[in-house]
């Protein structure tokens, strides 16, 4: 560390496992907004999606269900999360996923594909902060709206397996892209991290 600071040594450290896909939105927005205003805009999006989702839950499943989900969100301190550019992507994806499940409640399609997509979006946009929130919160909503009478454990396992499949698949694709387009062997680095 001292060598790097005092002698101006080149940075040869590459950490390929962080993708930080949220930057594709943040960087252009930084050209328009100062950092403080950008955090406010992200916070407004966070709270707008959260309140819209809670209203949709209250409308479809009742005020008690909405209050329970609201309490779960309050316990993770939304005032802090909403101002963090690292944490908000997970919760924005989570709220959008919950709204998707609520508004497609009466449509017939494989929810496993939806959870796979949620996992892929999480891996792309997240900074490894709170990825399980993107699986857990939408899964709570899905369990509330699933009146099929099927075993809930099977629904939980299938949804989680689909989410994990999407998450891990995009992680591997990212490492392959790093290997293909840079001089770093992303696959060896990623697999070596285990």
């Amino acid at each position: 560390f001292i060598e790097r600071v005092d002698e101006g040594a080149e940075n040869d450290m590459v950490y390929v496992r962080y993708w930080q896909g949220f930057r594709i939105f943040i960087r252009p927005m930084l050209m328009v907004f100062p950092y403080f205003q950008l955090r406010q805009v992200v916070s407004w999006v966070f709270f707008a999606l959260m309140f819209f989702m809670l209203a949709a839950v209250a409308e479809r499943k009742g005020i008690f269900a909405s209050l329970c989900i609201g309490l779960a969100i309050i316990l993770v301190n939304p005032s802090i999360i909403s101002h963090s550019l690292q944490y908000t992507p997970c919760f924005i994806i989570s709220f959008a996923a919950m709204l998707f499940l609520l508004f497609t409640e009466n449509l017939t399609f494989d929810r496993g594909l939806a959870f796979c997509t949620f996992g892929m979006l999480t891996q792309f946009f997240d900074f490894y902060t709170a990825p399980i929130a993107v699986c857990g919160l939408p899964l709570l909503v899905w369990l509330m709206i699933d009146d099929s009478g099927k075993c809930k454990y099977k629904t939980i396992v299938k949804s989680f397996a689909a989410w994990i499949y999407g998450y891990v698949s995009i992680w591997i694709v990212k490492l392959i892209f790093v290997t293909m387009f840079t001089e770093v062997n992303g696959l060896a680095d990623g697999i070596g991290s285990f």
Side-chain angles (χ1 to χ4, degrees):
F1 177 74
I2 293 171
E3 174 190 343
R4 292 194 189 280
V5 173
D6 291 341
E7 299 172 17
E10 288 295 316
N11 181 8
D12 59 355
M13 181 74 162
V14 178
Y15 193 73
V16 300
R17 294 182 299 275
Y18 282 129
W19 187 264
Q20 303 170 5
F22 66 91
R23 293 184 303 176
I24 65 172
F25 294 109
I26 299 298
R27 285 189 174 184
M29 290 174 71
L30 281 170
M31 294 171 52
V32 178
F33 301 106
Y35 181 72
F36 178 74
Q37 286 180 340
L38 175 62
R39 285 178 52 194
Q40 285 185 320
V41 168
V42 170
S43 181
W44 293 336
V45 170
F46 175 90
F47 282 111
L49 277 172
M50 183 180 79
F51 289 124
F52 188 51
M53 177 272 304
L54 290 172
V57 170
E59 178 185 324
R60 286 171 172 70
K61 289 298 166 184
I63 193 74
F64 182 72
S66 182
L67 289 173
C68 288
I69 291 177
L71 178 63
I73 294 167
I74 286 171
L75 291 174
V76 294
N77 203 346
S79 62
I80 299 293
I81 291 170
S82 66
H83 281 84
S84 169
L85 298 180
Q86 294 174 346
Y87 287 111
T88 50
C90 275
F91 287 89
I92 288 173
I93 293 168
S94 183
F95 297 154
M98 294 162 85
L99 285 166
F100 175 80
L101 291 171
L102 287 164
F103 287 114
T104 60
E105 173 182 4
N106 297 324
L107 298 178
T108 304
F109 68 95
D110 184 12
R111 297 301 188 275
L113 181 60
F115 276 90
C116 182
T117 304
F118 303 156
M120 290 174 166
L121 289 170
T122 305
Q123 180 56 252
F124 184 81
F125 287 105
D126 187 28
F127 190 59
Y128 298 134
T129 54
I132 201 67
V134 184
C135 183
L137 290 172
L139 188 54
L140 287 175
V141 167
W142 177 236
L143 290 172
M144 281 191 307
I145 62 178
D146 181 19
D147 295 330
S148 65
K150 293 181 183 176
C151 177
K152 300 291 184 184
Y153 296 117
K154 187 175 179 180
T155 300
I156 293 169
V157 170
K158 276 180 58 176
S159 299
F160 185 70
W163 186 88
I164 286 290
Y165 177 79
Y167 189 85
V168 171
S169 297
I170 293 298
W171 183 71
I172 291 170
V173 167
K174 289 187 322 186
L175 295 177
I176 290 170
F177 282 170
V178 167
T179 302
M180 288 172 48
F181 297 113
T182 68
E183 296 175 2
V184 177
N185 187 343
L187 284 171
D189 181 69
I191 292 170
S193 69
F194 287 111

